[in-house]
Amino acid sequence: MVKKKPHHPPHEEHADETWLVPYSDLLTLLLALFIVLFASSSIDKSKAAQIQYALAAAFGSGTIEEDDGNIISFINDAKDLNLEDDGVIISSDANGATLEMTSINLFDTGSVTLKPEALPVIKKISLLLNSNKYKKYRIVVEGHTDDTNESETLPSNWELSGARAGAVTREMISNTMDVNRFKAVGLAEISPAYPNKNPYGEPIPENRLKNRRVIVRIEF
């Protein structure tokens, strides 16, 4: 007697899923690419320079020329000159490196004439900017005030801030710098670094002093 084979339910073949591994790797790479593209659209230039150095070091490719200055080297060189000890704030933003000096270190109240003690600091900055590493870059000198009319002789803070920016620019040019590299602008009180008044409308004297400043901006 022939025995019947037991009935088994149909066996489902499992699809080969090994393709998921390279597919997930591809998605990860695409995600990383989009993150880099997004970051590079808004990254500031000092971070871009850091990435440039990191990539050069990682791939061993050489080389950013020693005479080709960038934001990182400029900030380091400015610190090596002890400009911070002279009251200069060294920083950077999306437009380049910045050297910020408070007006009380540069001018008497309401004056547009540089103090004698400010001249050595400006000369130090000029020599740095005139070195081979940085002499190709354009410079913007910005004058800023607080929200009071500090000058008794000038009609508004526009004239005061513009004249102070011009005074610093003229002094830098007198240190054998190329006049074509410069732009001097007065911004009055429209771009304060700190609030001039508290939420109750009361003045903040220390902030007003900080807002009276001249910024030397190097456009990298």
Side-chain angles (χ1 to χ4, degrees):
M1 182 176 180
V2 179
K3 291 184 178 179
K4 291 184 179 180
K5 290 184 180 178
H7 178 71
H8 294 290
H11 179 66
E12 235 178 76
E13 294 292 333
H14 291 287
D16 184 3
E17 297 178 349
T18 55
W19 61 273
L20 286 174
V21 176
Y23 180 70
S24 62
D25 289 342
L26 176 62
L27 290 180
T28 303
L29 288 172
L30 285 173
L31 176 62
L33 173 62
F34 285 123
I35 290 173
V36 170
L37 290 174
F38 174 77
S40 64
S41 69
S42 57
I43 196 167
D44 68 52
K45 294 184 179 182
S46 64
K47 289 182 180 176
Q50 290 176 359
I51 291 173
Q52 184 182 10
Y53 272 112
L55 289 174
F59 291 101
S61 61
T63 54
I64 299 171
E65 295 294 330
E66 186 178 350
D67 286 340
D68 188 16
N70 55 70
I71 292 178
I72 294 177
S73 66
F74 180 82
I75 289 175
N76 289 334
D77 289 344
K79 289 180 177 179
D80 288 343
L81 288 175
N82 299 317
L83 288 176
E84 291 171 314
D85 295 340
D86 296 320
V88 179
I89 299 172
I90 305 167
S91 187
S92 67
D93 58 24
N95 296 317
T98 59
L99 301 175
E100 180 179 318
M101 298 170 280
T102 59
S103 292
I104 56 174
N105 291 338
L106 300 174
F107 306 95
D108 291 324
T109 301
S111 172
V112 296
T113 302
L114 285 163
K115 293 180 177 180
E117 56 266 33
L119 303 184
V121 180
I122 295 176
K123 184 168 186 178
K124 235 194 246 191
I125 294 171
S126 302
L127 291 174
L128 175 60
L129 289 171
N130 219 21
S131 65
N132 288 334
K133 290 168 73 173
Y134 309 113
K135 68 191 312 178
K136 68 181 179 181
Y137 297 110
R138 289 183 56 81
I139 301 162
V140 179
V141 182
E142 301 173 356
H144 297 264
T145 68
D146 61 18
D147 60 341
T148 65
N149 192 353
E150 183 187 343
S151 174
E152 296 180 358
T153 58
L154 295 173
S156 76
N157 284 332
W158 292 105
E159 286 82 6
L160 178 63
S161 60
R164 285 180 168 176
V168 172
T169 300
R170 285 194 306 274
E171 184 60 28
M172 295 178 75
I173 292 170
S174 74
N175 292 316
T176 69
M177 296 192 69
D178 182 1
V179 65
N180 295 308
R181 296 176 62 189
F182 286 91
K183 179 169 69 173
V185 294
L187 296 174
E189 67 268 21
I190 67 171
S191 185
Y194 305 92
N196 287 300
K197 296 178 181 177
N198 65 24
Y200 302 101
E202 300 166 336
I204 308 175
E206 60 271 25
N207 283 5
R208 282 179 165 171
L209 288 176
K210 293 175 184 177
N211 286 330
R212 299 175 184 176
R213 66 205 193 279
V214 173
I215 297 175
V216 178
R217 187 182 304 281
I218 302 88
E219 296 184 335
F220 284 94

